[in-house]
Amino acid sequence: MTGTTIKDTPEEWEVRATRTPFVGNKTSVRTDDVVMPDGTVVRRDYQVHPGSVAVLALDAADRVLVLRQYRHPVRHKLWEIPAGLLDVPGENPLHAAQRELYEEAHVKAEDWRVLTDVYTTAGGCDEAVRIFLARGLSEAEGDRFEVEDEEADMELARVPVADLVRGVLAGELHNNCLVVGVLSLVAAREQDGLDALRPAEAPWPARPFDA
């Protein structure tokens, strides 16, 4: 591995045919016939997703704002960080993250950074998630956002970072954005510090956005 650059790179193999056998409310399923390096053609089914944002909101007491929500596909109530879909094509992910923090927790933040960017399940879905770090938290003005469906049963809490790390490593916390966000926070502190993180408006090639 000496001299190898460890960095993901864009690449697109030839697609001989494509179809969309299922279209849902927010996502769809696509079937592509993809040409492999040896010339064979194989079929790949995957979920087409608009992308998401998530917010690791860190308060002055080193606690993370988390919420507990029912997730039907896994039949669990999961502790998560605020998150939501990029519903509008080209939507600025920072604006979407600020909206989600307000809607789910009625909180605003003064300092925003990009914590990390991830593909959640690259083998079967094209979802890309940008996880932000939000600091300088305070209560948002105005009325609380009216929630519905699963969110109507949502619980909110502020949990010390160390407790979340223990929960992740003990296999007690499973939400991917929470797990990646919390461990990335710890890693960032051990590297160059949180102020060295990318700015909130940093480019995101996986989901290009308007200013």
Side-chain angles (χ1 to χ4, degrees):
M1 295 293 290
T2 303
T4 300
T5 300
I6 306 301
K7 179 180 179 181
D8 296 337
T9 55
E11 185 168 341
E12 188 168 354
W13 293 358
E14 180 186 353
V15 175
R16 291 279 174 83
T18 186
R19 51 210 164 277
T20 306
F22 171 80
V23 177
N25 185 32
K26 297 292 185 180
T27 67
S28 60
V29 173
R30 182 175 296 162
T31 298
D32 288 344
D33 294 339
V34 186
V35 181
M36 298 289 106
D38 64 359
T40 60
V41 178
V42 301
R43 182 162 295 172
R44 293 289 179 260
D45 302 314
Y46 59 100
Q47 182 183 18
V48 178
H49 194 285
S52 307
V53 291
V55 185
L56 193 144
L58 184 69
D59 70 13
D62 207 41
R63 300 175 303 176
V64 175
L65 193 157
V66 293
L67 50 93
R68 189 169 180 245
Q69 186 172 345
Y70 177 66
R71 295 301 188 182
H72 185 71
V74 295
R75 307 310 199 265
H76 269 70
K77 273 193 171 182
L78 299 179
W79 285 103
E80 307 178 352
I81 57 177
L85 298 175
L86 290 169
D87 295 313
V88 181
E91 183 178 16
N92 187 302
L94 173 60
H95 299 166
Q98 291 169 333
R99 180 188 68 238
E100 293 299 331
L101 186 61
Y102 162 73
E103 291 181 356
E104 295 191 347
H106 201 66
V107 166
K108 63 181 181 179
E110 296 299 321
D111 186 272
W112 290 82
R113 312 284 172 124
V114 175
L115 188 53
T116 191
D117 299 322
V118 294
Y119 291 114
T120 55
T121 39
C125 180
D126 71 351
E127 181 185 13
V129 180
R130 168 156 281 188
I131 304 177
F132 290 91
L133 172 66
R135 294 179 292 175
L137 308 184
S138 61
E139 193 80 3
E141 296 90 359
D143 296 332
R144 286 186 171 271
F145 182 78
E146 292 188 15
V147 296
E148 58 185 9
D149 301 328
E150 291 92 342
E151 293 182 353
D153 189 46
M154 199 162 57
E155 304 169 50
L156 291 172
R158 296 194 182 203
V159 180
V161 172
D163 290 351
L164 293 176
V165 171
R166 280 193 290 271
V168 168
L169 299 180
E172 298 168 351
L173 299 171
H174 306 88
N175 174 260
N176 58 353
C177 289
L178 186 151
V179 171
V180 173
V182 167
L183 298 185
S184 294
L185 174 73
V186 174
R189 283 175 165 171
E190 293 180 352
Q191 295 294 312
D192 298 323
L194 302 183
D195 291 335
L197 289 168
R198 285 173 291 161
E201 297 278 8
W204 188 19
R207 291 294 185 274
F209 57 91
D210 300 326

